[in-house]
């Protein structure tokens, strides 16, 4: 693999590892993961193939594609539209993984912030996952204060998570103080 230099050759290798006939083989997917790890920064050429795999009918294949895109970090930015689609329409376990990938991509995935926040508001994304990813993509946490105040008035787990994020706001969290006091009082 050290001699693999052309983008077309790398793309061909990735595509062959994830061919339609072999995709169900865990062993083949494991080899593809190893190959991407060995390719390092050049593995970014595999992003179009990995983005297509996010629509595969096999959930394990989709999860492997998510894992590989997460490993690629900012190099996975061409997959932002496919990851955004997964946040919007993916399964219960895929949505958070897609959000985490988008967060790892960083500011280049900024266009996905509305989809992540929408999934959060609809109860389809954990609070911590959605905010972490959105902040990594460039979202100003202070914009989430009204949402966090609302979450302080829900169940114990949500209150805890919301209070953790409110603390990160520092002085900007002053409007949340009454809700924090109420949440603390209810926790007793």
């Amino acid at each position: 693999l050290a001699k693999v230099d052309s983008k077309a050759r790398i793309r061909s290798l990735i595509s062959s590892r994830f061919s339609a006939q072999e995709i169900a083989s865990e062993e083949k997917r494991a080899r593809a993961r190893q190959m991407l790890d060995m390719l390092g920064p050049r593995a970014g050429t595999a992003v179009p193939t990995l983005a297509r795999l996010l629509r595969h009918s096999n959930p394990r294949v989709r999860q492997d594609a998510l894992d590989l895109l997460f490993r690629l970090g900012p190099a996975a930015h061409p997959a932002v539209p496919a990851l955004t689609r997964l946040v919007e329409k993916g399964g219960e376990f895929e949505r958070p993984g897609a959000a985490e990938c988008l967060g790892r991509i960083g500011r280049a995935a900024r266009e996905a912030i509305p989809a992540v926040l929408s999934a959060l508001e609809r109860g389809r994304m954990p609070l911590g996952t959605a905010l972490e990813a959105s902040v990594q993509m460039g979202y100003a946490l202070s914009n989430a204060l009204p949402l966090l105040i609302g979450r302080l008035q829900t169940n114990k787990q949500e209150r805890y998570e919301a209070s953790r994020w409110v603390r990160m706001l520092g002085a900007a969290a002053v409007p949340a103080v009454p809700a924090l006091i109420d949440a603390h009082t209810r926790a007793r």
Side-chain angles (χ1 to χ4, degrees):
L1 290 176
K3 295 180 181 180
V4 177
D5 288 322
S6 80
K7 288 183 178 185
R9 178 75 178 126
I10 294 170
R11 208 174 286 120
S12 171
L13 283 169
I14 298 301
S15 295
S16 70
R17 291 294 188 263
F18 286 110
S19 69
Q21 297 86 356
E22 299 173 339
I23 204 72
S25 166
E26 175 61 36
E27 181 182 332
K28 298 283 184 182
R29 291 195 310 272
R31 278 194 232 138
R33 283 191 297 272
Q34 289 173 337
M35 183 174 59
L36 286 176
D37 286 342
M38 290 176 8
L39 288 170
R42 294 180 296 167
T45 59
V47 172
T49 300
L50 294 171
R52 280 193 308 278
L53 291 174
L54 293 175
R55 294 188 199 173
H56 199 277
S57 61
N58 183 334
R60 285 185 174 190
V61 171
R62 291 193 304 270
Q63 187 59 52
D64 281 345
L66 276 173
D67 292 345
L68 292 169
L69 288 166
F70 183 85
R71 287 180 187 192
L72 292 174
H77 74 274
V80 168
L83 289 164
T84 303
R85 206 169 21 261
L86 203 54
V87 164
E88 295 168 339
K89 299 179 181 179
E92 177 182 0
F93 300 108
E94 295 167 335
R95 288 187 301 270
E100 289 169 356
C101 282
L102 290 162
R104 185 125 154 84
I105 291 168
R107 291 189 180 270
R110 188 175 179 89
E111 68 195 60
I113 293 172
V116 172
L117 295 177
S118 175
L120 170 63
E121 290 171 4
R122 292 188 331 249
R124 301 184 78 202
M125 178 82 58
L127 177 66
T129 302
L131 290 180
E132 182 76 32
S134 296
V135 167
Q136 289 173 334
M137 289 185 276
Y139 180 70
L141 184 57
S142 58
N143 292 336
L145 190 57
L147 170 80
L148 291 170
I149 290 171
R151 295 295 171 107
L152 286 168
Q153 300 165 7
T154 60
N155 66 58
K156 185 177 180 178
Q157 182 178 350
E158 284 282 308
R159 284 194 307 262
Y160 174 79
E161 188 65 21
S163 66
R164 186 175 76 83
W165 284 94
V166 167
R167 283 192 304 268
M168 289 182 210
L169 286 168
V174 169
V177 170
L180 278 169
I181 291 170
D182 184 53
H184 179 71
T185 304
R186 277 195 275 155
R188 290 183 182 188

